[in-house]
Amino acid sequence: MVNTPRKRLVIGNWKMHGDTAFNSELLAGLRTGIQSVAQCDVAVCVPFPYLYQVRSLLEGSGVTWGGQDVSEHEKGAYTGEVAAAMLADFNCRWVLVGHSERRGYHGESDATVAAKAAAALAAGLTPVVCVGETLQEQEAGQTHAIIERQLAPVLALGADAVSRTVIAYEPVWAIGTGRTATPEQAQEVHALIRGRLDAAGTPQVRILYGGSVKASNAASLFAMADIDGALVGGAALVASEFLSIAAA
Ligand code: 13P
């Protein structure tokens, strides 16, 4: 098994924020500041209508981009959905799949999430597969079982597919709440995921942590053995804050 170090990755998830004027300013800030962040891959996942703008303003900057969701279908009569090939057409490199806000508000099942990951891979995108337990599940001591259940259909896609993904652990109770998992709490779940990835023969897959990551707590999270970067929500909307996380 090769054990070359995994390159750090920090992805900003803009969620449903931004407009063309706001984005222009944020992207200009990222373009300028990215020069000082060499050791880390940096990306933004933006609302679909802004992909054209984001591509125009980030091309050649070193910052890559992606979508926040994708259809599990290749094409066809699926009103309102966006195909992986459409994202690839805008030179997206990444797409989030199975974010807890998709699982929670749109009823996406583990199987649907895996199908979306497969659709993304087929179009040459890197799916960032999000997993994480709710507060209720955490309090019931079900964290490991939930993560295993969410991961299973993704791992079933096979080593070749899994090796081309990124996994993001986002405990739902830490998203947008200001309540970050402690580095030790996050590491414990990352170690579980790492074990599954090793067993699947894909030790190089990066595992990101997400949930109230800020410049002030990023370094302590990144010091953990199995945390390879972050999926950042709120703090990704401020260029200096987001870049400080990447610099950490
Ligand atoms: P916050 O960083 O705002 O907690 O959001 C985390 C998240 O959901 C990123 O996908």
Side-chain angles (χ1 to χ4, degrees):
M1 223 177 257
V2 249
N3 264 324
T4 48
R6 295 174 293 271
K7 192 172 182 193
R8 304 271 173 178
L9 169 63
V10 171
I11 300 180
N13 173 11
W14 289 7
K15 307 195 179 185
M16 200 168 71
H17 293 289
D19 57 44
T20 48
F22 176 89
N23 303 347
S24 269
E25 216 177 306
L26 175 55
L27 295 166
L30 295 186
R31 235 196 130 91
T32 318
I34 189 68
Q35 325 291 354
S36 52
V37 188
Q39 285 97 326
C40 175
D41 287 330
V42 178
V44 289
C45 287
V46 307
F48 297 133
Y50 299 125
L51 282 172
Y52 183 82
Q53 181 192 22
V54 168
R55 176 175 67 177
S56 313
L57 296 180
L58 287 183
E59 225 153 30
S61 68
V63 181
T64 53
W65 57 92
Q68 299 173 6
D69 183 33
V70 67
S71 176
E72 68 192 281
H73 306 289
E74 194 187 338
K75 61 177 158 188
Y78 300 103
T79 302
E81 293 203 37
V82 172
M86 296 173 184
L87 297 178
D89 200 17
F90 283 91
N91 306 109
C92 285
R93 169 144 181 226
W94 318 92
V95 64
L96 307 182
V97 297
H99 192 281
S100 61
E101 288 148 19
R102 300 292 319 171
R103 292 178 188 263
Y105 305 147
H106 302 274
E108 289 187 12
S109 69
D110 301 326
T112 300
V113 172
K116 289 183 171 201
L121 287 167
L125 305 172
T126 300
V128 178
V129 181
C130 305
V131 297
E133 81 286 7
T134 63
L135 180 62
Q136 200 183 14
E137 290 161 346
Q138 190 218 28
E139 285 173 345
Q142 295 169 342
T143 300
H144 286 206
I146 296 294
I147 303 300
E148 304 251 23
R149 194 204 73 206
Q150 293 175 337
L151 275 182
V154 176
L155 295 176
L157 296 174
D160 175 59
V162 176
S163 69
R164 292 181 285 132
T165 68
V166 168
I167 308 293
Y169 170 56
E170 298 202 313
V172 180
W173 48 269
I175 295 178
T177 57
R179 213 183 129 194
T180 326
T182 64
E184 293 73 22
Q185 262 176 324
Q187 167 58 27
E188 196 214 315
V189 178
H190 279 237
L192 167 81
I193 299 170
R194 177 66 60 212
R196 293 297 169 269
L197 291 170
D198 284 349
T202 57
Q204 292 308 112
V205 171
R206 290 179 284 192
I207 312 173
L208 311 183
Y209 169 77
S212 299
V213 176
K214 304 182 269 289
S216 59
N217 59 24
S220 59
L221 288 161
F222 297 163
M224 296 289 124
D226 296 305
I227 300 184
D228 304 314
L231 181 54
V232 184
L237 299 172
V238 181
S240 59
E241 180 79 9
F242 183 57
L243 289 166
S244 299
I245 293 170

